[in-house]
Amino acid sequence: MWSPDEYMNRLYDRYDEVRSIAYKQPWQERKTEVRVRLLEAMGGATDAMAGADLKPVVLESVEMKDYIMERVAFTTTEDLRIPSYVLIPKRLEHKAPAVIAWHGHGYGSKEIVGLNPDGTADEGEPGIHKHFAVQLVRRGMVVLAPEIIGFGDRRLAADRGKDPRKSSSCFALASRLLLHGQTLAGLRIAEAMRSLDYLLSREEVDPERIGCMGFSGGGLIASLSAALDERIKAVVLCAFTSTSRGSLLAMNHCIDNYLPSILRYADLPELIGLIAPRALFVESGQEDPLFPVSSVLDALSVLERIYKEEDAAERLGADLFPGKHEISGRQGYDWLARRLRA
């Protein structure tokens, strides 16, 4: 056949057979290898960033009606600093729970804290991100909203003159990092761990009550950083949880979602399953064209098995809401606040 479709299907089936043998092992015996293979697939960025001085700086502080919004920056490695927003509830009397909020594709962290690309207040109808960092701080949690590398203010110079709503540097960064044996997903997850280091340095934050929430591509960062870093106690994933066959291999996604060789060892639900036995909540739109509901249900069945084996079935929750590729939060916001006892 001239078309490669059948080849791609058989390639997935071949490794699915290999994985099906591994799936017969108890999860407690298997999860260590899954974690090791995930680290290998990401490249070495996590090791390179360990121990760098954060050198945090507060760039701006604005008093909102019921919270303080700071613009901060901190170091991840010698050549990289992250601009981020920190949202702090007013009238805190004790150390508070905290959440790292990961935006999806769009114009960056401003999109989830209620700002337009130029930094002015977004007073119109919220888009698919629903200003979700604001929803979290209003439930009593300190929220860190980092700017993911490749978006908004962190695009390559060649992209910064373009409309940030329509332009990212994902493809250029991902393809060039491969030449150095790194992946864009690995770099972002390494920066997520450094973001957690920064969050824990804040005097307002209770280090025992840390969560994260990610939407779409931010769901990859939220899920895999939590899978690898047990300081994160509770996770909400929006519009991301699926099987590879049902989503990442079924249609064109941004290149930042792909990890080399990982399907030889584990599919996406098992990578997410590394979060267990810590708390996990999955939300997804029933009409999401990028992460179809059938694929979400397949992934949830795997996660339910893993959480049952971890004796933690009550720590897994889900909401398949009427909607498309968007944040809902109708259950996820309050679920996260309860899990972190905000």
Side-chain angles (χ1 to χ4, degrees), residues 6-169:
E6 187 61 28
Y7 171 78
M8 295 302 298
N9 287 330
R10 289 186 180 180
L11 193 62
Y12 183 90
D13 289 340
R14 185 181 310 148
Y15 288 120
D16 197 32
E17 292 176 7
V18 174
R19 291 192 303 273
S20 66
I21 296 172
Y23 291 164
K24 295 177 182 178
Q25 293 178 269
W27 174 246
Q28 290 287 352
E29 297 176 10
R30 177 163 160 68
K31 66 179 182 179
T32 297
E33 181 184 11
V34 173
R35 187 180 190 277
V36 169
R37 297 301 187 183
L38 172 58
L39 283 166
E40 290 175 351
M42 290 194 312
T46 51
D47 295 333
M49 290 188 184
D53 189 345
L54 290 166
K55 300 178 182 177
V57 175
V58 177
L59 305 172
E60 182 183 19
S61 182
V62 180
E63 185 170 343
M64 311 299 280
K65 181 179 179 181
D66 46 3
Y67 61 93
I68 304 297
M69 182 164 65
E70 293 182 353
R71 179 74 159 163
V72 304
F74 52 90
T75 297
T76 55
T77 190
E78 181 179 356
D79 302 308
L80 287 172
R81 284 177 66 78
I82 297 184
S84 306
Y85 288 96
V86 183
L87 279 54
I88 308 156
K90 287 185 177 179
R91 296 179 292 277
L92 283 181
E93 297 180 359
H94 306 285
K95 288 184 179 292
V99 179
I100 306 182
W102 296 105
H103 62 82
H105 284 69
Y107 58 86
S109 55
K110 293 182 178 71
E111 193 161 3
I112 66 174
V113 300
L115 300 177
N116 292 309
D118 62 1
T120 59
D122 181 2
E123 297 177 349
E125 189 69 23
I128 60 176
H129 283 81
K130 305 293 175 65
H131 300 168
F132 77 89
V134 177
Q135 297 298 323
L136 295 172
V137 72
R138 286 176 173 163
R139 285 163 171 80
M141 296 172 278
V142 176
V143 183
L144 175 65
E147 188 97 308
I148 299 171
I149 190 167
F151 295 101
D153 295 333
R154 302 193 74 202
R155 291 174 293 165
L156 292 166
D159 297 319
R160 284 202 292 269
K162 303 173 185 176
D163 184 349
R165 298 177 187 270
K166 302 176 182 178
S167 170
S168 77
S169 295

Side-chain angles (χ1 to χ4, degrees), residues 12 241-249 267-269 295-296 298-299 302:
Y12 183 90
T241 305
S242 59
T243 64
S244 295
R245 168 166 267 172
S247 181
L248 298 181
L249 294 176
D267 204 347
L268 182 56
S295 181
V296 177
D298 288 342
V302 175

Side-chain angles (χ1 to χ4, degrees), residues 74-339:
F74 52 90
T75 297
T76 55
T77 190
E78 181 179 356
D79 302 308
L80 287 172
R81 284 177 66 78
I82 297 184
S84 306
Y85 288 96
V86 183
L87 279 54
I88 308 156
K90 287 185 177 179
R91 296 179 292 277
L92 283 181
E93 297 180 359
H94 306 285
K95 288 184 179 292
V99 179
I100 306 182
W102 296 105
H103 62 82
H105 284 69
Y107 58 86
S109 55
K110 293 182 178 71
E111 193 161 3
I112 66 174
V113 300
L115 300 177
N116 292 309
D118 62 1
T120 59
D122 181 2
E123 297 177 349
E125 189 69 23
I128 60 176
H129 283 81
K130 305 293 175 65
H131 300 168
F132 77 89
V134 177
Q135 297 298 323
L136 295 172
V137 72
R138 286 176 173 163
R139 285 163 171 80
M141 296 172 278
V142 176
V143 183
L144 175 65
E147 188 97 308
I148 299 171
I149 190 167
F151 295 101
D153 295 333
R154 302 193 74 202
R155 291 174 293 165
L156 292 166
D159 297 319
R160 284 202 292 269
K162 303 173 185 176
D163 184 349
R165 298 177 187 270
K166 302 176 182 178
S167 170
S168 77
S169 295
C170 291
F171 180 82
L173 284 169
S175 55
R176 295 169 194 180
L177 284 167
L178 287 175
L179 294 174
H180 300 284
Q182 294 189 27
T183 65
L184 183 54
L187 178 58
R188 288 174 174 172
I189 291 160
E191 289 204 318
M193 294 179 179
R194 295 296 288 149
S195 298
L196 181 53
D197 292 341
Y198 170 74
L199 187 61
L200 290 170
S201 75
R202 301 277 311 201
E203 63 180 8
E204 307 94 342
V205 171
D206 183 343
E208 298 303 317
R209 294 189 289 165
I210 303 294
C212 66
M213 180 171 179
F215 168 62
S216 192
L220 180 141
I221 301 172
S223 61
L224 299 190
S225 62
L228 296 171
D229 198 322
E230 295 186 355
R231 294 178 293 178
I232 298 172
K233 307 301 184 186
V235 184
V236 176
L237 301 181
C238 311
F240 175 72
T241 305
S242 59
T243 64
S244 295
R245 168 166 267 172
S247 181
L248 298 181
L249 294 176
M251 63 198 76
N252 292 332
H253 280 269
C254 181
I255 194 172
D256 59 6
N257 287 288
Y258 299 87
L259 291 169
S261 302
I262 195 63
L263 283 179
R264 297 184 181 191
Y265 309 105
D267 204 347
L268 182 56
E270 282 203 310
L271 301 181
I272 297 172
L274 291 171
I275 296 169
R278 288 164 291 144
L280 171 63
F281 190 87
V282 171
E283 72 164 36
S284 199
Q286 295 174 7
E287 299 174 30
D288 189 334
L290 299 178
F291 297 91
V293 67
S294 59
S295 181
V296 177
L297 290 169
D298 288 342
L300 280 170
S301 69
V302 175
L303 288 167
E304 287 166 359
R305 173 178 57 80
I306 289 173
Y307 270 77
K308 184 177 180 180
E309 288 190 43
E310 290 274 12
D311 196 25
E314 75 286 354
R315 295 180 190 166
L316 175 65
D319 178 28
L320 302 183
F321 61 89
K324 297 184 179 180
H325 189 65
E326 58 189 315
I327 290 268
S328 166
R330 66 176 186 176
Q331 295 183 29
Y333 299 144
D334 291 333
W335 178 94
L336 190 53
R338 287 195 304 271
R339 283 292 175 178

